[in-house]
Amino acid sequence: LDKIVSLLGSEQDQVRDHAAVTLSILLYDPRAREALGNSGVIIALSEILLSKYVSEGTRQSAALAIAKVCWNASSQVKALTSGAVMPLIRMVLDSRERHWFCGAEALMSLSTSEANRKVIGGAGAL
């Protein structure tokens, strides 16, 4: 898992995209979510969302991976403080269907508690 997380920081967009897609699949397993919760994966995925130099597909893959890793409540706090919220909100406001879907799925995973919904709402999602 650590090798896949390290590939999120690659200079090659296609490598970042494949790493994010792979994580999205692996994160269906609760053991993977637990193992990655403290690995820095949230920061790496947030950096992809914040970057101006990634493809839209890579941004979508990163949003889906955040959605999966944030099924664990402990990862939600990290995602909310990592800068991921505003790019996800922009994705939901985008007119492209897949962009909207990926952003919405991530925001839904992040909004499982009242405190999290307040943070997301304060960032402009409401």
Side-chain angles (χ1 to χ4, degrees):
L1 290 174
D2 291 337
K3 178 63 176 169
I4 297 168
V5 172
S6 72
L7 293 173
L8 292 171
S10 171
E11 293 183 14
Q12 297 177 355
D13 190 60
Q14 189 175 18
V15 172
R16 288 188 299 249
D17 184 40
H18 287 298
V21 168
T22 301
L23 284 174
S24 293
I25 294 165
L26 292 172
L27 288 166
Y28 279 103
D29 185 330
R31 295 170 298 178
R33 287 193 303 275
E34 190 65 37
L36 287 172
N38 295 319
S39 70
V41 69
I42 298 282
I43 300 299
L45 292 167
S46 295
E47 287 173 357
I48 288 173
L49 291 176
L50 292 164
S51 176
K52 296 178 183 178
Y53 305 105
V54 297
S55 69
E56 295 305 315
T58 299
R59 195 176 316 282
Q60 293 165 358
S61 298
L64 290 176
I66 283 180
K68 304 298 183 295
V69 77
C70 286
W71 286 351
N72 282 5
S74 61
S75 296
Q76 293 173 9
V77 174
K78 291 175 189 166
L80 290 170
T81 59
S82 69
V85 174
M86 286 309 299
L88 293 171
I89 291 171
R90 283 193 294 274
M91 289 176 79
V92 169
L93 296 174
D94 194 291
S95 62
R96 292 169 286 183
E97 185 175 328
R98 180 151 169 79
H99 228 55
W100 177 90
F101 172 80
C102 295
E105 184 169 346
L107 287 173
M108 286 189 318
S109 290
L110 289 170
S111 62
T112 59
S113 74
E114 184 62 32
N116 291 4
R117 287 189 290 277
K118 285 182 181 180
V119 171
I120 294 167
L126 302 176

